[in-house]
């Protein structure tokens, strides 16, 4: 079964600081990888996804993530955060051929103006 | 207009009551999912369905049932609600093609007193 680990559940940082959120998964086969964002009071929205090709994926709002197969990781980064990036961020993994997404427990990110 | 809608958006009920949460989608997707979100636990899958005749249990199906009335509609029922079912419930859809991205509804906040 696939499982997903996200560390540092609560992250507090100032505007313009850099953000990196870790995501590790446990599945040895081919995977599709996702980062979703949930702004306060809203539903989950896709930030970016990896399916194949370039392991460095660019998403919306200046976010990017790098798939490192040897480390089973898909870390999310943003060089300079804004107050509007305050949200909860979820990593999700889908094993190819499996119809289910496994979600991590999320990172609650608070950006202080 | 939203592609995935959920009703009601908020509901407060009492222990022992039967509750139905409804989800409709206009994306034409055949795969639909119900999740619950709890603080610090991320999203956990309750049930999922590939078409009207196909229903599958997720990781936390006890205490819940579902009905797939049509391709566009997928309802979640709590036969006898209990307080630990207080949570945020999300419906999602997924196309059978492509990279398994899921599309989420706005959520239903359920409180069981």
């Amino acid at each position: 079964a696939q499982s997903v680990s996200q560390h540092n559940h609560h992250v507090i940082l100032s505007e313009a600081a850099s953000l990196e959120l870790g995501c590790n998964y446990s599945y040895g086969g081919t995977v599709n990888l996702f980062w979703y964002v949930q702004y306060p009071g809203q539903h989950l929205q896709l930030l970016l996804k990896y399916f194949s090709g370039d392991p460095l994926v660019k998403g919306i709002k200046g976010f990017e993530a790098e798939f490192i197969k040897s480390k089973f990781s898909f870390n999310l980064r943003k060089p300079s955060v804004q107050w509007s990036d305050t949200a909860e961020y979820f990593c999700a993994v889908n094993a190819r051929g499996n119809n289910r997404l496994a979600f991590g427990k999320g990172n609650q990110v608070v950006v202080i103006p | 207009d939203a592609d995935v809608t959920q009703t009601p958006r908020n509901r407060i009920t009492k222990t022992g009551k039967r509750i139905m949460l409804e989800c409709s989608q206009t994306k034409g997707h055949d795969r639909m999912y119900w999740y619950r979100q709890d603080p610090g636990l991320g999203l956990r899958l309750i049930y999922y369905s590939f078409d009207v005749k196909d229903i599958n249990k997720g990781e936390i199906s006890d205490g819940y049932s579902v009905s797939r009335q049509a391709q566009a509609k997928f309802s979640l029922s709590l036969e006898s609600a209990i307080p630990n079912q207080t949570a945020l419930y999300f419906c999602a859809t997924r196309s059978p093609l492509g990279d398994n991205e899921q599309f989420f509804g706005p959520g239903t906040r359920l409180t069981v007193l």
Side-chain angles (χ1 to χ4, degrees):
Chain A
Q2 56 209 32
S3 65
V4 183
S5 297
Q6 292 180 245
H7 310 290
N8 303 321
H9 182 64
H10 293 280
V11 177
I12 302 174
L13 59 169
S14 300
E15 277 193 316
S18 64
L19 173 68
E20 180 161 358
L21 302 177
C23 174
N24 290 90
Y25 64 92
S26 61
Y27 180 73
T30 303
V31 292
N32 300 323
L33 299 158
F34 305 85
W35 275 97
Y36 284 87
V37 60
Q38 185 179 31
Y39 297 106
Q42 296 189 28
H43 63 288
L44 275 75
Q45 304 171 43
L46 184 70
L47 260 185
L48 49 76
K49 60 187 176 185
Y50 172 80
F51 183 62
S52 64
D54 189 343
L56 184 61
V57 180
K58 304 283 187 184
I60 61 171
K61 303 187 179 185
F63 285 90
E64 65 178 31
E66 185 174 13
F67 171 45
I68 302 179
K69 188 175 181 179
S70 62
K71 295 184 177 180
F72 299 91
S73 69
F74 189 55
N75 293 354
L76 181 71
R77 297 191 292 257
K78 184 169 183 177
S80 177
V81 295
Q82 300 173 317
W83 173 79
S84 58
D85 293 322
T86 293
E88 190 154 18
Y89 294 81
F90 294 95
C91 182
V93 176
N94 164 250
R96 295 275 178 93
N98 186 318
N99 292 290
R100 298 160 62 158
L101 274 181
F103 283 86
K105 295 183 178 181
N107 295 107
Q108 184 68 56
V109 174
V110 175
V111 180
I112 301 171
Chain B
D1 289 338
D3 294 321
V4 185
T5 57
Q6 293 182 233
T7 57
R9 295 293 312 278
N10 289 282
R11 181 71 184 269
I12 300 173
T13 191
K14 294 182 179 180
T15 298
K17 294 291 187 181
R18 185 178 187 275
I19 296 296
M20 179 180 285
L21 309 183
E22 303 199 18
C23 176
S24 295
Q25 53 115 347
T26 58
K27 298 186 76 67
H29 291 167
D30 58 353
R31 298 172 191 213
M32 298 186 74
Y33 301 77
W34 274 105
Y35 294 90
R36 65 176 280 175
Q37 183 184 15
D38 298 277
L41 296 180
L43 274 76
R44 293 180 292 167
L45 182 64
I46 306 172
Y47 270 98
Y48 60 107
S49 168
F50 293 162
D51 65 32
V52 173
K53 298 179 181 179
D54 184 272
I55 302 290
N56 303 278
K57 291 184 177 180
E59 56 187 297
I60 53 162
S61 58
D62 288 349
Y64 301 94
S65 62
V66 290
S67 173
R68 186 81 183 267
Q69 303 95 320
Q71 188 193 46
K73 296 184 183 295
F74 191 36
S75 301
L76 176 72
S77 293
L78 288 67
E79 297 301 324
S80 179
I82 56 177
N84 77 0
Q85 291 177 313
T86 293
L88 188 56
Y89 290 85
F90 286 104
C91 175
T93 72
R94 202 209 94 184
S95 169
L97 304 176
D99 54 18
N100 298 312
E101 178 184 347
Q102 292 189 14
F103 302 84
F104 287 83
T108 295
R109 184 166 295 282
L110 176 66
T111 303
V112 183
L113 302 176

